[in-house]
Amino acid sequence: MIHAHDSLIVLMLGRILIPLVQLYGLYVLFFGQYGPGGGFVGGVIFGTSMILSVLIFGHGASYSTMARTVRHGDGVGLLIFAGVGGLCLIGGGEFLNYAALEIPGLDVASRRYLGIVLAQIGVAVDVGVTAISIVFSLSFDHEDGDSHA
Amino acid sequence: MTFSFEVPLLILLILTAAGAILVKDLVPAVFILGSYSFFLALVWACLGAVDVAFVEAVVGAGLATVFFLLTLFRTAQKDTRLYPSSYRGAALIGLPLLGFLILYAANDLPKFGDPASPASVHVSPVYLENSLHDTRTPNVVTSVLMDYRALDTLIETVVIFTAGIACALLLGRSRE
């Protein structure tokens, strides 16, 4: 069970840094098609911001609500990624052939572009949530946590 | 090319790797390992693999350090050797021999950036030429990972998912 940090400097820095890190994670995730980055790195950065809030403010703090809420959702990202592949199957193509996504008004290149974006969101959710879940497994003491928290 | 940058970086890599092994207190060893990852990221960036450098810096220097530290806080922080020191002589002879064999085999690898190497003539030109037209994605690394080789990436995601599940099963179990 991690409690809030004693130092006021650390707490204030956390309040300033965490939103910036989250913004940067989203930028890396959605800019991955034009520069370095992508789903994996963006997910890790976004997950790291929530890990930072757990490490600075503790497990029970309201800043860590987001991390506490999502930590059991490991499979959601995988479901998004595989679900996009399944939609391609429904559209009549091969598994993960984004050109077969059934979206009216889009040419083939735009469909594949959209498929890449959706798959990257899936990877990001999976990686970020897994990082948070591992941190909670490593640091959460259930005997303490269940009775007092 | 970037030779003058690479030699100091490689020396720093060897120094930090040796330091992480030799330091007895494990908390400094974790931080030295993080700096090792950071120097490795600089080497990747020098070689032009910016995506790999990004992942190495974020995961190796950032996330892995946090995992190691959290593990150390739940276990012992001192290095306790599990093996008897009589194996040391065998390691002193065997590991240089293995290194020599690897260097000998590396002679037969194609030169760095060789346009006639098997990796550069098979499917790489197809991806490089068609990525922008096919997927409107200027970053070819992303289009190869997420479109042309999406099934590989899906299975890698399954691997990460499995790692998270295994950690939760082994460590997150409540004692009732």
Side-chain angles (χ1 to χ4, degrees):
Chain A
M1 192 77 187
I2 297 175
H3 296 285
H5 201 279
D6 297 330
S7 166
L8 186 68
I9 297 171
V10 174
L11 294 179
M12 282 310 292
L13 266 182
R15 267 170 223 175
I16 297 168
L17 271 181
I18 289 168
L20 287 180
V21 173
Q22 284 179 342
L23 199 64
Y24 185 62
L26 286 178
Y27 159 75
V28 168
L29 166 59
F30 289 108
F31 203 68
Q33 280 161 310
Y34 302 98
F40 190 85
V41 190
V44 171
I45 293 177
F46 201 81
T48 308
S49 74
M50 290 192 255
I51 291 170
L52 203 60
S53 78
V54 170
L55 291 182
I56 291 177
F57 300 109
H59 280 132
S62 58
Y63 284 97
S64 317
T65 311
M66 200 169 163
R68 267 205 315 280
T69 315
V70 299
R71 77 188 143 112
H72 291 307
D74 285 37
V76 175
L78 197 57
L79 198 67
I80 295 174
F81 198 164
V84 174
L87 285 179
C88 300
L89 279 180
I90 292 173
E94 298 90 355
F95 186 63
L96 287 171
N97 179 5
Y98 306 134
L101 283 172
E102 285 272 0
I103 297 156
L106 284 185
D107 57 346
V108 171
S110 298
R111 286 178 189 178
R112 290 176 77 163
Y113 183 90
L114 186 73
I116 291 177
V117 171
L118 291 174
Q120 281 196 326
I121 292 173
V123 172
V125 170
D126 184 88
V127 174
V129 171
T130 303
I132 295 166
S133 140
I134 291 177
V135 163
F136 266 84
S137 311
L138 280 173
S139 62
F140 204 78
D141 198 353
H142 283 268
E143 283 178 329
D144 190 30
D146 287 341
S147 54
H148 299 295
Chain B
M1 188 175 52
T2 49
F3 194 67
S4 54
F5 271 113
E6 281 167 14
V7 171
L9 276 178
L10 289 177
I11 292 172
L12 278 170
L13 267 184
I14 294 172
L15 282 181
T16 47
I21 295 170
L22 291 176
V23 169
K24 292 289 179 202
D25 197 343
L26 288 178
V27 176
V30 165
F31 282 108
I32 295 173
L33 204 61
S35 68
Y36 170 83
S37 283
F38 201 74
F39 289 129
L40 195 57
L42 288 179
V43 171
W44 293 132
C46 275
L47 290 175
V50 190
D51 286 81
V52 183
F54 209 170
V55 173
E56 181 70 41
V58 168
V59 177
L63 198 60
T65 308
V66 173
F67 286 167
F68 276 132
L69 283 181
L70 286 173
T71 313
L72 284 182
F73 289 151
R74 296 200 74 169
T75 52
Q77 296 187 14
K78 291 285 174 191
D79 188 7
T80 47
R81 302 204 174 269
L82 295 175
Y83 53 86
S85 54
S86 61
Y87 290 137
R88 216 168 255 186
L92 270 181
I93 300 167
L95 289 180
L97 200 66
L98 193 64
F100 174 75
L101 277 178
I102 289 174
L103 285 179
Y104 179 69
N107 262 337
D108 289 342
L109 287 174
K111 289 247 177 343
F112 177 69
D114 183 9
S117 67
S120 324
V121 294
H122 182 45
V123 287
S124 301
V126 181
Y127 294 156
L128 287 173
E129 283 162 13
N130 297 334
S131 165
L132 193 57
H133 176 257
D134 279 355
T135 64
R136 289 198 184 150
T137 304
N139 187 0
V140 185
V141 178
T142 302
S143 72
V144 169
L145 277 180
M146 288 294 166
D147 191 307
Y148 295 108
R149 297 273 166 202
L151 197 61
D152 291 358
T153 312
L154 180 66
I155 303 302
E156 280 169 27
T157 316
V158 173
V159 169
I160 293 168
F161 170 71
T162 316
I165 293 290
C167 276
L169 282 177
L170 288 173
L171 303 167
R173 180 179 294 177
S174 58
R175 302 176 205 120
E176 284 160 333

